[in-house]
Each structure stands twice: as structure tokens, then as C-alpha cells.
Amino acid sequence: MIRFEFGLHISSLEYLPYYRGEVRNVLARCADGRKVQFPATLLQPFVTSAGIRGSFVLTCDDDGKGAQLQRS
């Protein structure tokens, strides 16, 4: 199992292209300096009227499959 920890600060206006499906992937920089890319659809449960703010943990198997996103 691979684990990525990162913070996101995406305003509601910045999130619109993700919501509309115009942008399909999110690229984030982890706390340890790694970059991780994941499907924007994983963000939907965390969207508020202010956008997305917080610390998150993305986990997936060793092949990068089965990604799950949680607020940390």
C-alpha cells in the first residue's frame, strides 16, 4: 500500500473546471516533496461552498490502483 500526504487549497472558482469535467486529474505536492496525480472525482465528497481546504491522505495499491482519498 502506498500513502501520499498533502494539503489542498482550491477555491470554489478554481474547482469549477474539475466539477465540469474539463480537468480530470489533480496534481499535488506531498509533504515529503513527491508529486502525486489522481482523478478529480475523488475530491467531490470534500467540496464545500468555499472550495476544498485541508490535509488529505491518498492511498493506493503498489500498482497505483484502487485510490482512496481521506481527510487527515
Side-chain angles (χ1 to χ4, degrees):
M1 184 76 66
I2 304 173
R3 179 181 170 102
F4 301 95
E5 296 181 33
F6 53 89
L8 288 177
H9 301 285
I10 303 172
S11 73
S12 56
L13 286 176
E14 291 171 327
Y15 184 72
L16 278 176
Y18 297 98
Y19 177 78
R20 292 179 181 145
E22 297 165 5
V23 178
R24 296 186 180 184
N25 293 304
V26 176
L27 181 63
R29 183 173 302 275
C30 299
D32 63 7
R34 294 181 293 172
K35 291 181 184 176
V36 62
Q37 182 174 322
F38 59 91
T41 55
L42 294 178
L43 293 175
Q44 289 177 350
F46 306 103
V47 178
T48 68
S49 60
I52 299 170
R53 300 243 189 288
S55 297
F56 295 88
V57 175
L58 177 76
T59 56
C60 59
D61 66 20
D62 292 336
D63 295 324
K65 305 289 184 193
Q68 295 182 348
L69 186 64
Q70 297 176 327
R71 190 178 298 271
S72 63

